[in-house]
Amino acid sequence: MKAIAKSLGDFLVDRTESLENIKIEEYFVQYSKDKITRLLDTEQYIFEGSRGIGKTMLMKYASIQANKSFGQDSILSVWISFEESIRLERIKVVGDGVDPFLQWTMGKILHEVLKSIISLKPRSMDQLSGRLSKIFCYPATTNFEQYSKLLSEYLDLLEKGDIRDSLKLMEEAPSSELSKILDNPGSFKKFLLGLVNDFELNRIVLLFDEAAHVFSHIQQEKFFTFFKSLRDPKIACKAAVYPGITNYGKYFEKGQDAKELSIEWSPTIKGDIDYIKDILKKRILTFGEDAWRKLNENPEIINTICVCSNGNPRFAFHIIDELDSSGAFTWNRRINMQLVKNSVRKVLDSKWKEFTTLKNRLVKYSKYIDEAEKLVKEFLVKNLRDWNSKRIAIGKSPSAGFYVATSLYEKIPQVFEVLAYSNLIIIDYRKKSIGHGHYGYYMMLNPSILIADLILETNDFQKVSVAIENNQAYYLTTNHMADLVNMLKESNEYNCTNSSCNFKTDNEDFKFCPSCGNPIEIPQAEPLYKILRSHSVESLKLSDSIIRRLKEKFSTVGEIYDATIDDIRMPYIQDVRAVKVKTAAIEYMAG
Amino acid sequence: MSYPKIQFKSNIMEPVIGIVKNTLDDNDFTKMMEWLNTLLTISENVGLKDEEIGSLMQEVSSDCISSIYIATSGFYRQAVIQLRSILEVTCNAFYYLDHKIEYNLFMSHNAKSDRYVSKLVNDHHFYTTRYITAFFGKIQEIQTETDSVSKKLTTLYGDLSDIVHGRSASFTKLSQITIGYSKEKFKFFEVLLHRSLSLIVLLYALRFDDFITDGVLDLAKFTMAVRV
């Protein structure tokens, strides 16, 4: 039977989590050695970057390199992803019961640390230890494998979330000793330091991926308080977060409790464009030389794809995938710019659809998401197109963005942050003077929007200027912006729980009523976990034929999320597709 | 504790502990421990085939452990002396494996212990092509040149002897006695250890036609005496 040929899509796998270590090393393109050094040094870092820009790739590569030289440097580097955290909202915290979120977070960290230590053990070590132990009549060292198995079972228990409350969880824990170590950040840290001592490690480096993004608001606060408490010369923590939408809580100060490290990219910097080109080259050459040759027949084609990526390799992969679907690589003629622009538009459309569905996940941001889309499509793009056409006509530098006065930004930060989170705009958070005593932030539109909407051509990006005199600026007084601010004004009201008292306030700091002393009613948001679970199976990113079959057995995302692979199996959906379905549900819940 | 004991502890033991720590911190021991494990394995295997020769190989194993430890402690020349001794004892072991009368004379009648490596090769054609053919018929297919194994043995033995006898240009010439950690010398020892254990393992692999035991193939390849 002939083996099934691989498609270009197999080489453009867009989630690093799906790549094996050997592929990560093969596909990795070195751009900033400094970042890898910082990811492995002794400092705490918040590692910022928008979705798909390469944070996971960098973290995993750094971890692989550290573990390769573990025999020399004794630096244990552990990559930890928090995708499954959302299940824990199910378990109620009751009385003196252990906090399931803390238990799970610390348990997950410890489990991954033990797995790493065990995986780094040379094959022949046990055999040699036994022999040397006999030669020297000296006892052999401890075995951590049993401990790892116990933790793994406990984590399964937490992740399935079939426990009613935290008191029941204490009963189900494999040992009370384990629960105690995992409940208290202090004792957990002590245990980690014990491991460092036993193995005489230089340090442990913990690389937290999907930190905060997948956590609920309250979990985010707990996580960063915990993150801060781990600080030690022998324990270095780095957390990858999305800028703008992370809640650090009251006790964590970015810059003070952790340094900041970010991945930035600009379509105006040739080196940045070449970096994306190198990534694409590695992947596509693995598939075949012809595809790469076709993309490079006209340099403008490959440059356009790289510029439109906006520093996000995943976006570039989608454009190339779209070109492949339209037959560009199988035709006998050259790929033309029109085809590339059409592909960019299609991928951008999908991105906007994805942006809209963010309302399901970022519930607090749902009204901002609607207005942000309108702001870009109906106001900013039109303004920029008009601005540029006038300026290019008189030979002046074009613009790729605009300034937003800090006073305006501070009124509606959520609008801009949610766009930045989705990589639709890039915000430069350095305050710049924009004249008349005002300061502002420069924001650039995603280049794919600029190219798809014919605001700029690929070659124009080298001529773009960020100077204030070459860009528009928006203030609180700008008509459209003033209307937007008024529309989005927060109108939360908090009432006194005493039905006879008429006190109301919009200030959320009030805990007790100043009139009668009774508690103020705090509206409880429905847990995100519950909301996402209730969404229809159709919300998942799967083909129509798979969705149709899944609907015969499952009606909600939550049912699939809870199901095992065996439960999911059915005619047409066997091993490979069943795993694909399960992964789609996990990714949907994790966002 | 008596003064001399305190002196020994403070002025010899403690500095050596410091040197060991520096060596451990500054070097990767993964490969060395793998090679050691392979040596221990083949020593056990030889012991299963021939108990008497197996006991000689146990000495080789013990000497190898001490050589590594001595080098880690900063006594590089002494570690190389051990390596030369390991090579000599191994060659004698494999020679006596097939020369039981000579072995009996050696053990029972206290015959002279003068079967140095070079003497074995020159006078007894030890591990020349025709010698190996007696137990490994395919040697001509895999050797890199005629008598490649015996030539490698002679060369290595010569290199080790140069160091032991102070003829090495830079390794052991001391204008004054200093004992301390030297990464360069430790790495140099590691290279010699690798060469020595590779040849020892090759002698075993050819004698018993065993290239399958864990670690044997890699070490045999490293000698560049055979193509496997």
Side-chain angles (χ1 to χ4, degrees), chain A residues 21 51 122 133 149 158 189-190 206 263 278 301 329 353-354 393 472 511 516 561 581:
Chain A
N21 283 357
R51 295 176 96 186
S133 174
K149 190 172 175 289
L158 283 168
K189 182 176 167 180
K190 199 172 154 191
L206 301 173
I263 298 186
D278 288 339
I301 302 286
F329 295 107
K353 283 189 186 123
E354 235 181 73
Q472 298 166 295
K511 301 284 179 249
C516 65
Y561 190 61
V581 166

Side-chain angles (χ1 to χ4, degrees), chain A residues 9-27:
Chain A
D10 291 319
F11 298 89
L12 296 176
V13 167
D14 63 0
R15 277 182 65 88
T16 306
E17 290 86 337
S18 313
L19 286 175
E20 292 165 354
N21 283 357
I22 197 162
K23 285 291 175 195
I24 288 175
E25 285 194 275
E26 188 185 333
Y27 291 152

Side-chain angles (χ1 to χ4, degrees), chain A residues 131, chain B residues 38-61 90 93-94 97 100 103 200 204 207-208 210 213:
Chain A
R131 284 170 171 155
Chain B
T38 305
L39 177 69
L40 295 178
T41 305
I42 65 163
S43 300
E44 281 174 13
N45 291 350
V46 170
L48 290 172
K49 310 253 191 241
D50 187 317
E51 210 179 300
E52 285 175 324
I53 304 304
S55 67
L56 281 179
M57 290 304 292
Q58 294 301 321
E59 281 188 36
V60 169
S61 300
T90 306
F94 279 90
L97 191 64
K100 287 299 182 180
Y103 180 67
I200 288 170
Y204 160 84
R207 179 63 184 77
F208 295 105
D210 175 12
T213 295

Side-chain angles (χ1 to χ4, degrees), chain A residues 68-74 122-124 127-128 131-132 135-136, chain B residues 25-30 33-34 36-37 40-41 44 65 183 214:
Chain A
K68 267 180 149 176
S69 63
F70 178 72
Q72 166 90 26
D73 300 328
S74 306
R123 224 176 39 230
S124 58
Q127 191 183 44
L128 182 59
R131 284 170 171 155
L132 292 172
I135 291 169
F136 285 100
Chain B
D25 284 346
D26 203 24
N27 294 279
D28 186 348
F29 276 63
T30 310
M33 300 309 271
E34 279 175 9
L36 175 62
N37 192 51
L40 295 178
T41 305
E44 281 174 13
I65 294 169
K183 184 159 186 154
D214 218 23

